[in-house]
Amino acid sequence: NGRINDFENINQERFETDKVEIISHTDFIWNIFNYDSQRKRLIIHSILWFCCSFSFYGVIFQISLIDSEFNKKYFLSYLAIFLSQIITGIIADIYGRQRCVMYASYLSGIACFVFALASQNNIVKLISFTFVLVGSSASNSVLFIFTAEDFPTAIRCTVMGFVFVMSRLAGLCAYFVVNNITKSELLLALLSCLAGRISELLEDTHELILDDEVPENKKDLPFKKKRNRALRKDFKSGCSDLYFLTSD
């Protein structure tokens, strides 16, 4: 869009004036678990990803167990997934990521309980299933933003790769549970509610300046996250080219 020169000038100016530190080391996942400042959050995010993904994939697999006539009625529910992810992304930029994950997980869990208890071919079952898809897809989509923002740049890619593996492991477990356990919806509902409760243990990351390095490597201990990340920046939409030109 013709702004590449501005982008390069701003980054060059920042490099010369802000004393930008170049991070060249790589941490494997077991090294990250050894960081006192990251261990608890990494465990919480891992469990959160497993619970949310287990619920999401479990409900998808549940469709194959429903009779074909009733299955046709679920087609429009997938439109709800598309819309919920877009709407939740907008809401997350206003009210924060943590709230979106928490409320979406609770919504999915409660709706899943209703789905499990409702009679077959009932309109209540169709509506509750739609809310399960809306809640689970919303929480999963926001998790990609929430988790990425909650870890320093130096270890962000490694963490995201690890939690994505947890997500796929949850999907594999959900497949066997749904196909072998009667009323597996109750387990899916329980895990969704558990995800909502676990998300309450995390600090919201909306509009917080992201950490560049693990505090242990900067000898910045004892680690106090709210002190280190108390500075807030003016939010700029990711759709704007100004987002890429900020000096933060």
Side-chain angles (χ1 to χ4, degrees), residues 35-241:
Y35 291 131
D36 292 335
S37 63
Q38 309 299 319
R39 185 184 304 112
K40 180 179 178 180
R41 279 184 295 136
L42 180 55
I43 292 174
I44 293 176
H45 277 280
S46 299
I47 298 175
L48 189 58
W49 273 75
F50 185 89
C51 292
C52 288
S53 298
F54 193 103
S55 175
F56 178 74
Y57 289 115
V59 174
I60 298 297
F61 295 142
Q62 188 70 30
I63 298 177
S64 62
L65 303 179
I66 302 174
D67 64 89
S68 58
E69 287 300 319
F70 192 51
N71 193 24
K72 293 177 182 178
K73 301 177 184 178
Y74 286 121
F75 176 76
L76 292 178
S77 298
Y78 289 96
L79 178 62
I81 293 180
F82 173 74
L83 295 177
S84 69
Q85 291 182 342
I86 295 178
I87 295 173
T88 306
I90 298 174
I91 295 175
D93 283 341
I94 300 174
Y95 296 104
R97 291 73 161 101
Q98 187 267 345
R99 286 185 181 181
C100 284
V101 173
M102 179 180 65
Y103 290 129
S105 297
Y106 281 135
L107 173 64
S108 176
I110 295 172
C112 204
F113 272 119
V114 177
F115 178 81
L117 300 177
S119 60
Q120 192 74 0
N121 294 326
N122 191 310
I123 187 64
V124 175
K125 205 172 185 70
L126 175 61
I127 295 174
S128 61
F129 178 80
T130 301
F131 277 108
V132 172
L133 284 178
V134 168
S136 60
S137 61
S139 59
N140 273 273
S141 61
V142 177
L143 273 180
F144 278 93
I145 307 172
F146 189 22
T147 302
E149 291 179 344
D150 210 17
F151 291 89
T153 302
I155 62 174
R156 185 168 300 128
C157 290
T158 304
V159 169
M160 291 303 298
F162 179 74
V163 295
F164 196 71
V165 169
M166 296 297 294
S167 171
R168 289 299 180 261
L169 177 61
L172 180 63
C173 294
Y175 175 81
F176 288 103
V177 168
V178 169
N179 285 278
N180 294 283
I181 297 180
T182 305
K183 287 295 181 183
S184 58
E185 301 97 329
L186 296 176
L187 177 59
L188 303 180
L190 180 62
L191 289 178
S192 292
C193 291
L194 178 61
R197 180 65 186 92
I198 290 175
S199 65
E200 296 182 39
L201 303 176
L202 295 169
E203 175 191 0
D204 198 1
T205 60
H206 180 47
E207 294 185 347
L208 289 180
I209 294 178
L210 304 183
D211 298 321
D212 290 325
E213 179 59 284
V214 178
E216 283 85 345
N217 292 333
K218 295 194 302 183
K219 297 181 172 56
D220 190 16
L221 293 174
F223 178 62
K224 295 181 180 179
K225 184 178 177 185
K226 290 193 175 184
R227 180 200 68 196
N228 287 1
R229 306 185 65 188
L231 264 177
R232 292 177 177 268
K233 63 181 179 63
D234 293 333
F235 178 74
K236 298 181 178 63
S237 170
C239 297
S240 169
D241 57 357

